[in-house]
Amino acid sequence: MAPRRAARVTDAEVTVDRRDGGVVLSLAGEVDLANVDRVREQIEAEVANASWALILDLSILRYLDSAGVRLLFELSSRLAERRQELIVVAPEGTSPRGVLTLVSIDRVARLTETLDEALERLRAMRREQSRT
């Protein structure tokens, strides 16, 4: 009889900040099949219809699997229906950036290197809207 192995437990931490008319959610740890439903619930609870955009900061996220990638595509689609934008912060050289580049997330979301760059995009959106 083979020895039993403990199931690997992963965790993701979601922190929330509201800036410049958008929601900034920072994810830390790992997002995978084991916790993606909990992460989805936390994200959906924070995104208001009045927000201009959702910024997902993955700067310190260690791991993102296919369930996490699917979550990002779903979020982008739902936000687009409400005329909101998904902005993903994933610095070059990080594991999430490699995965997101591979799946061409930039087709459905804006991909930035830094949170400052994402916030500048949000401010530009507000300026454009105020002109119309």
Side-chain angles (χ1 to χ4, degrees):
M1 179 178 234
R4 293 180 61 167
R5 289 194 294 169
R8 184 165 180 255
V9 177
T10 59
D11 199 22
E13 181 179 328
V14 179
T15 56
V16 182
D17 189 13
R18 298 186 190 293
R19 296 194 215 176
D20 297 321
V23 177
V24 179
L25 296 176
S26 299
L27 278 67
E30 301 179 6
V31 176
D32 59 20
L33 186 59
N35 62 25
V36 73
D37 290 333
R38 184 179 56 79
V39 172
R40 177 184 290 108
E41 289 170 6
Q42 290 177 304
I43 291 171
E44 289 175 354
E46 296 298 335
V47 179
N49 287 337
S51 299
W52 289 90
L54 169 62
I55 298 173
L56 280 181
D57 186 354
L58 310 182
S59 298
I60 61 172
L61 189 69
R62 290 188 312 268
Y63 180 75
L64 180 72
D65 79 353
S66 61
V69 169
R70 185 173 44 254
L71 171 62
L72 296 184
F73 276 95
E74 290 169 2
L75 281 170
S76 176
S77 177
R78 291 178 79 197
L79 290 168
E81 289 172 5
R82 299 188 316 199
R83 296 188 176 188
Q84 296 170 307
E85 185 172 343
L86 176 60
I87 304 171
V88 180
V89 179
E92 195 68 46
T94 62
S95 175
R97 179 64 175 238
V99 170
L100 295 176
T101 300
L102 185 66
V103 300
S104 301
I105 195 72
D106 59 338
R107 289 183 301 159
V108 298
R110 183 171 300 270
L111 190 57
T112 66
E113 289 277 327
T114 67
L115 180 56
D116 286 341
E117 188 180 333
L119 290 169
E120 180 52 40
R121 170 62 186 150
L122 190 56
R123 288 187 287 271
M125 290 170 62
R126 290 184 70 181
R127 285 191 300 269
E128 289 171 18
Q129 185 63 29
S130 68
R131 290 184 206 148
T132 58

